[in-house]
Amino acid sequence: MTQIPSKAQILEWVADNPEANSKRDIAKAFGIKGAARIELKRLLKEMEAEGALERRRRHYLDAEALPPVTVLELLAPDGSGDLFARPLEWRGEGALPRILYLPRRTDPALGRGDRFLARLIAVQAEDHRYEARLIRRITASANRITGIFRRESQGGRILPIDKGQDREWRVREDATLGAEDGELVQAEQIGPRARLGLPLARIIERLGDASAPRAVSLIAIHQHGIPDEFPETVLKEAEAATPAPIQGREDLRDLPLVTIDPLDARDHDDAVAARIEEDGGATIWVAIADVAHYVRPNSALDREAWKRGNSTYFPDRVVPMLPEALSADLCSLHEGVDRAVIAVRMRLDAQGNKVSHSFHRGIMLSRASLAYEQAQAAADGNPDDQTAPLMDSVIRPLWHAYGLLHKARARRQPLDLDLPERRIELSPDGRVQSVNFRERLDAHKLIEEFMVLANVAASEELTRRRQPLLFRVHEEPSLDKIDALRDVAQASGFTLAKGQVLMTSHLNRLLAQAEGSDFDELINITTLRSMTQAYYHPENFGHFGLALKSYAHFTSPIRRYADLVVHRALISAHGWGKDGLDEAQIERLPETAKHISETERRSMAAERDTTDRYLAAYLSERVGSEMTGRINGVQKFGAFVRLDESGADGLLPIRSIGQEYFHYDPASQTLLGSDTGLEIGIGQRVTVRLAEAVPMTGGLTLELLELDGQPLPRGPNKGRRGRSPGRVSTKARLAEIKRASKRRRKRD
């Protein structure tokens, strides 16, 4: 009688023979013939039901093993620079097996998120189970979604958290990854999108309880792919660092340097000092933490800092570029502690012009860690116990130098936007306690002007020495955007001159016209929106907004990789050591510039989404309340309103405005009612009712009650939403509306 193999023997055979594992192959291997095949078939089905084997077509696979050829997705490099990938098909109950990707020289370059077909080799390594070789790259990218998982009898659904996304996704039971009801998950689309029914998705990561305190920023972190956990190798490297020795550095400890930061600041990466000169000018010192000493090129710390690009700031947490051992300790200029710095000494004449500068690598000792409010009070004549002894040596010289820089700024005329910054206060349990606007003090402006001047000096120094670096570039706005700004200005009763080369002084004159009026904030916001986005580049294209010919970021290497590059360039230019820019980094500057410009935009989007969600949570308890605001955007589907009290932006859907057809004119950015002639445009004051606030998406929906202090007019078409009157054809009515719009623009 033929001996039927045991389950263990079958599993061992499948593992050893991944390419020959059909029922016929198994039967042949164990010499099973005739009626014994029925018993083998029963045994294989039993193992499949138990989850020990997975049947794919006519082949059996070990459910806890991967096939020899499979599709992988590349992950970001780890702290050691190694590339790992995750399998897209995994049916095992344990954690995803780690797969080390070993590219050949001839393989095409793959980046994070790229998918590829790979051949796997099982290995017995400490940190991975498989090694992968590329077969071919798969260009199709997955459609990702972050949302809330809702369990059902068979699988479940994912409710999206993206603003404006209302499509749900269905998840089969075998693709839930064990997610629980109400859990925040990240998933990806399976197969092509069906014409009918919900699209299918596979959960690829469980992110925790969506209702937990401080989950709002966690959503943004995962939604935008911001790395928030440091690899062990990076943490160990940071913790092993020791204070920089004074040998080979200038001793700057006699300078009266102080830090001035927000009251709750955890790190202090810049310090300032000033001296009043006999000619009425001043000498300014700006000292910046010497991050380059601790973050050496091509180290684990450097690779992780490059990957992150910058720190990201949320109301409840910071995702830092560097571990705390550096950002909050060795690279933080704490009061009374020796710290390594790269400092710039700048000489101003009596008109505030910079007449010379020099850079120094040294050791400093902070005299005091001051808060903005504390320094401002001292400058206003109300010093406290800490600032009173510093009045003559620190406070008065700093404010004298600031006065000179203020005069120089007035001549230079950088863009003078006045946009209040919101501050979201959280309670200990992570709920929104209040929404306030930060007060802009001269102390804030002093530090900003000192930092701008130091950045200019760094850019000029490296340019003069022909040293490669990354410039901070801000190009002038396009003509289309300026024309749109001009339309808004004219609609608000102001003017922006035509027919001349645009300068920031022209925009400042517009801002000055609006200052103190009902349109002040609107003109500031619209001017900001007309600007191009600043970015990093190895070539210098100037900085339009600051009205500067040459500008680079030097003052925050703790939180921006661009500044670290500039520090290394200064080290190389002055021959201060071997931790400057090497040839490999110089060749990589274009790639670095593109990458960190993208990570900066990623952080800005995550921070903005988090603020929107916190504001929606704050306002969710006031649904049904009446609020005032101003229209700050118009689209064919409705208008956007900025609410006065909170500064939150809400949508006024066109369906909630009235019972008539509205024509959208993109040139004038207005909506024009077909029956009543009601015109809705940017800048109008409104009274609205908060109809809906969705904290999970950050969306606010409003209902229009009053426009410019007047109730909405009632047209003859009441009850026939979205349709024009029957007595005039839609085509004819639209033509008349367009003609009226053109006449109005000519008249304006």
Side-chain angles (χ1 to χ4, degrees):
M1 182 177 178
T2 304
Q3 180 69 35
I4 300 296
S6 67
K7 293 180 180 179
Q9 288 174 317
I10 292 175
L11 284 175
E12 185 178 356
W13 164 262
V14 169
D16 292 342
N17 300 273
E19 297 181 1
N21 48 30
S22 67
K23 185 178 71 173
R24 178 181 297 177
D25 293 327
I26 296 171
K28 184 177 180 180
F30 289 97
I32 300 172
K33 300 178 181 178
R37 285 176 173 267
I38 299 175
E39 178 62 20
L40 175 64
K41 182 178 180 181
R42 184 200 63 77
L43 182 61
L44 292 174
K45 283 191 173 182
E46 184 178 317
M47 294 176 70
E48 185 181 349
E50 292 171 351
L53 287 179
E54 179 191 357
R55 187 178 184 184
R56 295 189 184 176
R57 296 182 181 177
R58 298 185 178 183
H59 292 258
Y60 289 92
L61 301 174
D62 184 350
E64 294 296 325
L66 289 170
V69 175
T70 190
V71 177
L72 305 177
E73 182 180 81
L74 194 65
L75 305 175
D78 69 1
S80 301
D82 292 329
L83 294 172
F84 285 87
R86 70 175 187 86
L88 297 186
E89 292 289 338
W90 172 245
R91 297 289 188 265
E93 295 183 359
L96 284 174
R98 280 173 63 83
I99 304 169
L100 177 65
Y101 171 52
L102 300 173
R104 307 178 187 88
R105 284 189 176 183
T106 55
D107 288 343
L110 299 181
R112 179 183 179 183
D114 284 350
R115 296 182 169 200
F116 59 103
L117 187 66
R119 185 174 299 280
L120 300 184
I121 303 170
V123 296
Q124 299 295 324
E126 290 184 7
D127 62 344
H128 60 279
R129 285 175 52 186
Y130 297 92
E131 292 178 353
R133 292 287 189 179
L134 177 73
I135 295 177
R136 72 172 183 271
R137 183 178 184 174
I138 300 174
T139 56
S141 60
N143 191 357
R144 291 286 180 88
I145 181 175
T146 303
I148 308 300
F149 178 67
R150 292 299 180 194
R151 177 156 293 279
E152 297 175 342
S153 57
Q154 293 294 322
R157 290 174 300 128
I158 296 175
L159 310 182
I161 60 174
D162 287 333
K163 191 185 297 183
Q165 169 69 271
D166 56 3
R167 178 191 289 267
E168 297 180 3
W169 298 61
R170 186 164 61 88
V171 183
R172 293 193 298 243
E173 183 61 43
D174 62 353
T176 64
L177 206 66
E180 299 178 359
D181 185 69
E183 197 169 6
L184 185 67
V185 298
Q186 193 168 63
E188 63 184 15
Q189 181 180 335
I190 300 177
R193 183 172 292 178
R195 293 182 62 187
L196 299 175
L198 298 179
L200 279 177
R202 169 198 299 115
I203 293 177
I204 59 175
E205 189 174 1
R206 298 168 57 185
L207 306 178
D209 184 2
S211 62
R214 306 181 188 278
V216 174
S217 56
L218 183 67
I219 290 172
I221 287 168
H222 286 279
Q223 196 174 14
H224 293 276
I226 296 173
D228 64 331
E229 292 186 8
F230 286 104
E232 192 64 30
T233 52
V234 175
L235 292 173
K236 287 181 178 178
E237 195 172 287
E239 289 162 3
T242 57
I246 194 171
Q247 287 80 14
R249 293 176 176 270
E250 290 186 49
D251 191 344
L252 306 176
R253 289 176 292 185
D254 288 339
L255 293 174
L257 288 158
V258 298
T259 61
I260 305 177
D261 294 290
L263 186 62
D264 56 356
R266 297 181 61 190
D267 56 66
H268 313 275
D269 57 353
D270 57 78
V272 293
R275 182 178 69 230
I276 303 173
E277 300 295 346
E278 292 182 359
D279 62 357
T283 297
I284 293 176
W285 283 88
V286 173
I288 307 298
D290 189 357
V291 176
H293 173 80
Y294 301 99
V295 182
R296 301 298 179 102
N298 303 314
S299 63
L301 276 166
D302 183 45
R303 288 192 293 268
E304 184 67 16
W306 187 92
K307 181 173 75 174
R308 295 180 177 224
N310 50 264
S311 298
T312 307
Y313 294 83
F314 301 105
D316 64 326
R317 73 180 80 196
V318 176
V319 180
M321 187 179 80
L322 300 174
E324 273 198 25
L326 295 182
S327 61
D329 188 10
L330 290 179
C331 294
S332 188
L333 310 180
H334 295 302
E335 180 179 341
V337 181
D338 288 356
R339 284 290 181 256
V341 293
I342 294 180
V344 57
R345 176 186 182 276
M346 296 170 286
R347 179 72 164 86
L348 305 180
D349 63 19
Q351 286 71 46
N353 301 307
K354 180 173 69 68
V355 294
S356 66
H357 68 252
S358 59
F359 282 85
H360 309 260
R361 199 176 198 186
I363 294 285
M364 66 157 280
L365 180 71
S366 174
R367 294 289 190 274
S369 294
L370 304 179
Y372 283 115
E373 296 79 6
Q374 187 182 14
Q376 186 65 55
D380 292 341
N382 300 301
D384 58 16
D385 291 343
Q386 186 180 19
T387 54
L390 303 174
M391 290 300 297
D392 291 333
S393 61
V394 174
I395 302 298
R396 290 192 182 96
L398 285 176
W399 256 258
H400 173 78
Y402 168 61
L404 299 178
L405 291 177
H406 188 69
K407 288 194 294 185
R409 176 188 173 91
R411 291 194 302 273
R412 193 175 86 243
Q413 285 278 305
L415 190 59
D416 193 18
L417 291 171
D418 183 19
L419 295 170
E421 183 182 356
R422 280 174 299 198
R423 180 181 177 87
I424 296 175
E425 299 282 355
L426 302 180
S427 62
D429 64 353
R431 302 185 185 280
V432 181
Q433 204 165 29
S434 64
V435 179
N436 300 307
F437 291 95
R438 297 180 190 266
E439 187 180 3
R440 284 275 294 164
L441 304 171
D442 281 345
H444 292 100
K445 298 174 185 177
L446 181 151
I447 294 300
E448 288 173 5
E449 289 301 317
F450 277 41
M451 297 305 117
V452 167
L453 194 64
N455 288 335
V456 169
S459 177
E460 291 177 349
E461 177 78 1
L462 293 172
T463 300
R464 182 176 66 84
R465 291 175 176 266
R466 301 183 182 277
Q467 176 68 40
L469 74 150
L470 290 181
F471 293 92
R472 181 64 168 176
V473 173
H474 184 227
E475 297 180 271
E476 62 184 60
S478 67
L479 292 177
D480 288 343
K481 289 191 174 183
I482 291 301
D483 285 342
L485 172 60
R486 186 175 289 108
D487 289 341
V488 173
Q490 289 176 348
S492 305
F494 309 122
T495 58
L496 177 60
K498 287 185 177 181
Q500 52 188 313
V501 176
L502 183 69
M503 299 175 64
T504 49
S505 58
H506 303 143
L507 298 173
N508 286 341
R509 282 197 285 272
L510 171 62
L511 295 168
Q513 293 175 59
E515 186 175 0
S517 72
D518 289 342
F519 299 94
D520 193 347
E521 184 181 3
L522 171 69
I523 295 299
N524 272 272
I525 291 173
T526 310
T527 301
L528 177 64
R529 289 176 177 170
S530 71
M531 295 296 105
T532 60
Q533 196 162 28
Y535 60 95
Y536 296 103
H537 201 278
E539 295 181 53
N540 180 22
F541 302 122
H543 198 294
F544 175 80
L546 291 175
L548 292 168
K549 295 180 180 179
S550 181
Y551 195 66
H553 274 163
F554 156 75
T555 53
S556 293
I558 284 180
R559 61 184 180 92
R560 292 188 304 228
Y561 196 84
D563 303 55
L564 178 57
V565 170
V566 170
H567 276 231
R568 288 174 176 165
L570 288 167
I571 292 168
S572 296
H574 291 86
W576 285 333
K578 297 181 180 179
D579 46 354
L581 279 181
D582 59 27
E583 288 300 322
Q585 294 174 75
I586 292 171
E587 289 180 9
R588 201 185 184 191
L589 282 181
E591 179 188 355
T592 297
K594 182 176 183 295
H595 171 72
I596 63 178
S597 296
E598 290 171 352
T599 61
E600 179 185 50
R601 286 191 284 273
R602 177 182 68 184
S603 292
M604 291 170 63
E607 291 165 1
R608 183 174 58 248
D609 288 352
T610 300
T611 297
D612 288 346
R613 290 191 175 102
Y614 272 124
L615 288 172
Y618 177 66
L619 294 171
S620 62
E621 298 177 359
R622 299 174 59 186
V623 170
S625 300
E626 293 186 11
M627 303 174 181
T628 59
R630 189 181 295 279
I631 293 175
N632 66 352
V634 175
Q635 293 293 331
K636 61 182 178 181
F637 51 80
F640 293 98
V641 175
R642 173 151 294 188
L643 301 175
D644 294 332
E645 182 183 344
S646 63
D649 290 315
L651 174 63
L652 198 60
I654 200 166
R655 66 177 182 274
S656 72
I657 296 175
Q659 304 291 332
E660 58 183 316
Y661 180 90
F662 278 87
H663 167 66
Y664 170 59
D665 182 3
S668 62
Q669 297 185 65
T670 57
L671 292 167
L672 189 64
S674 60
D675 297 334
T676 63
L678 179 68
E679 186 174 359
I680 298 172
I682 291 175
Q684 289 177 298
R685 296 287 304 169
V686 294
T687 300
V688 297
R689 180 182 291 113
L690 180 60
E692 185 181 30
V694 186
M696 198 52 65
T697 65
L700 300 176
T701 305
L702 310 171
E703 294 176 0
L704 182 61
L705 301 178
E706 292 183 356
L707 186 68
D708 284 334
Q710 301 296 319
L712 293 184
R714 295 181 177 273
N717 199 29
K718 184 177 180 181
R720 300 177 60 202
R721 182 181 304 240
R723 296 181 59 87
S724 56
R727 63 182 181 276
V728 181
S729 71
T730 301
K731 185 175 181 181
R733 184 61 181 161
L734 282 175
E736 174 57 31
I737 290 171
K738 288 181 179 179
R739 285 194 294 271
S741 178
K742 286 181 180 178
R743 288 196 298 270
R744 186 178 63 257
R745 288 203 301 276
K746 279 187 177 181
R747 185 173 66 251
D748 292 342

